[in-house]
Amino acid sequence: MRDTGEYLFTSESVSEGHPDKVADRISDTVLDAFLAADPYARVACETLVTTNRVVLAGETRGPETVTPELLTHLTRMAIRDIGYEQDGFHWAKADVAVHLHSQSSDIAQGVDSAGNKDEGAGDQGIMFGYACRETDTLMPAPLYYSHEILRTIRDLRKAGDLSVKGLLPDAKSQVTLRYVDGKPVGATSVVVSTQHEAGIDQGEIKRLLWPLVESLLPKGWMCPEDEFHVNPTGNFVIGGPDGDCGLTGRKIIVDTYGGASPHGGGAFSGKDPTKVDRSAAYACRYLAKNVVAAGLAERCTLQISYAIGVARPLSVYVDLQGTGKDIDETRLEKTLRDVMNLSPRGIREHLHLNRPIYVPTSAYGHFGREPDEAKGTFTWEKTDLVPALKSAFGR
């Protein structure tokens, strides 16, 4: 983002009940089932959801105890947890078809370690990481607040809070912030579209959501009332997979940085950590966040590239966007390679990724979340490299 002048920047989020996020949730449910049975299972699961139908497809390599019947049951439990008991999409009534087959032997021989050959990347690709000082989580502010709005509505809905009575799982949000000289200073518009039961007055939904959104934004940031748009179409009763087909991996900008940073193009959900689309993107965020947390820069964009079957990254690129505090970016690139082994195996082991920790990532962003030591989730959000980075640059 620009460091001078005034401009507007917008990001969006979608709830766990959005059709694409339902698909992401199910794909990560499948992944966690395999990793719970075998930490070194291989999974690439894609999910399609539509009116009372779920289709799982992809490639796996893991224990036979993870049966189609088990995956069907876990799929239904995931849908029930999200909250779908509607005529057009019901956890107990939807048809679930499992079309998972064995991983290609051609891919396996490139990825597996053998003899003196280390584990290679599961595919070629470029991955990006980003961090900035706009929020305490070191995430871009428009995306952070978009997530917070929907996450809070979800929590209230599941708790049975009367302030969101009648609201249903499918929802979207969008926050536009005004920036002055590179810093956000307030919201110019907020959009919330939320599925609801029939017969609820749209004006009442807006009255309920106004204080909620205002409480989540910094004091004085709330947009003008005529720029607070709630269900702009006027009705949102038919929603979820009954209203729109959902597919795994279609919300990659929501999953990452809300458009504030480049994206390599690969989706995350349903992929085991040998797939660098996922694991290396987590490593990029981890490194970028530690650079900013160490006070080396106000913003950091990081890119890593890989080739299928090759263990070492082909390139590491750092851009501090002019905010580096007397930091040589070329030297920083070398330092990052020194403080973390960026081979697929090195990333998996450093961040402890071979565990069933992925369902919580499937909605409200993979980044900017709080690490949970007990559950082992979001390890890539830790800032434990800060001492090493400060020492390397005499800070």
Side-chain angles (χ1 to χ4, degrees), residues 99-111:
H99 298 286
L100 296 167
H101 60 84
S102 297
Q103 183 187 53
S104 160
S105 58
D106 290 344
I107 293 176
Q109 72 178 356
V111 175

Side-chain angles (χ1 to χ4, degrees), residues 223-301:
C223 65
E225 187 173 356
D226 62 353
E227 291 295 337
F228 183 51
H229 306 285
V230 175
N231 290 349
T233 63
N235 211 40
F236 190 180
V237 174
I238 301 172
D242 187 32
D244 192 11
C245 179
L247 294 170
T248 300
R250 285 206 303 197
K251 289 294 176 284
I252 57 177
I253 301 303
V254 170
D255 285 343
T256 54
Y257 306 104
S261 167
H263 193 292
F268 300 157
S269 290
K271 296 178 180 178
D272 75 77
T274 66
K275 280 72 171 175
V276 286
D277 275 347
R278 183 171 215 159
S279 56
Y282 290 173
C284 286
R285 162 63 179 175
Y286 176 61
L287 294 175
K289 183 176 183 179
N290 275 270
V291 167
V292 174
L296 304 184
E298 295 294 307
R299 292 196 298 272
C300 177
T301 301

